[in-house]
């Protein structure tokens, strides 16, 4: 059974930085690299938002709200996904989830096969 475990969340002041990590395990073969990986976030009372995606060939996409501040990356040798978050704002507060897709390049929520439990990010003004 594939498991995704996020870490790196915490509380920071506006303007600060955090680096989230997602460790993937449970694969029977080296297939982590074959799938799109995504970071989602959800603030209390709000809908889940797709923050950043990285396809199997390394193509990245970002939500407009984080473009230029966040960077998604992956280390396929370590089955790991990262999200470097700089210039954090209070509106970045929320639970951040790592998700593995079922396709190389389709990264929307409807294509997600596995979800992590999430890591909390809190940004104070």
């Amino acid at each position: 059974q594939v498991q995704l475990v996020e870490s790196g969340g915490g509380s920071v002041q506006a303007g600060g930085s955090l680096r989230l990590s997602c460790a993937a395990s449970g694969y029977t073969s080296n297939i982590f690299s074959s799938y799109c990986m995504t970071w989602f976030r959800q603030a209390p009372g709000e809908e889940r938002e797709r923050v950043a995606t990285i396809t199997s060939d390394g193509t990245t996409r970002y939500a407009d709200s984080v473009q230029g501040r966040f960077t998604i990356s992956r280390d396929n040798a370590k089955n790991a996904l990262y999200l470097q978050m700089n210039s954090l704002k209070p509106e970045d507060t929320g639970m951040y989830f790592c998700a593995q897709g079922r396709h190389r390049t389709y990264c929307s929520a409807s294509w997600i096969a596995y979800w992590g439990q999430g890591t909390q990010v809190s940004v104070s003004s």
Side-chain angles (χ1 to χ4, degrees), residues 50-55 58-63 66-67 72 105 107:
R50 187 171 60 180
V51 175
T53 66
I54 183 165
T55 64
T59 301
T60 58
R61 293 187 65 181
Y62 300 92
V66 307
Q67 181 74 48
I72 188 173
T105 58
C107 308

Side-chain angles (χ1 to χ4, degrees), residues 6 44 73 76 78 98 107 119 121:
E6 302 94 335
S73 61
N76 292 328
K78 296 181 179 180
C98 165
C107 308
T119 185
V121 171

Side-chain angles (χ1 to χ4, degrees), residues 89-103:
K89 304 176 181 180
E91 51 264 43
D92 294 319
T93 294
M95 186 71 77
Y96 282 69
F97 300 90
C98 165
Q100 182 223 295
R102 294 182 283 115
H103 194 273

Side-chain angles (χ1 to χ4, degrees), residues 31-52:
I31 61 172
F32 174 82
S33 62
S34 300
Y35 299 115
C36 181
M37 295 296 296
T38 305
W39 285 100
F40 290 86
R41 71 184 178 190
Q42 187 166 22
E46 297 189 13
E47 292 187 356
R48 182 178 54 202
E49 174 189 20
R50 187 171 60 180
V51 175

Side-chain angles (χ1 to χ4, degrees), residues 8-20 69-70 85-93 96 120-125:
S11 298
V12 297
Q13 291 190 325
S17 298
L18 285 173
R19 186 183 192 229
L20 305 184
R69 300 187 297 121
F70 290 11
M85 306 187 296
N86 299 328
S87 302
L88 282 161
K89 304 176 181 180
E91 51 264 43
D92 294 319
T93 294
Y96 282 69
Q120 179 68 37
V121 171
S122 299
V123 185
S124 59
S125 58

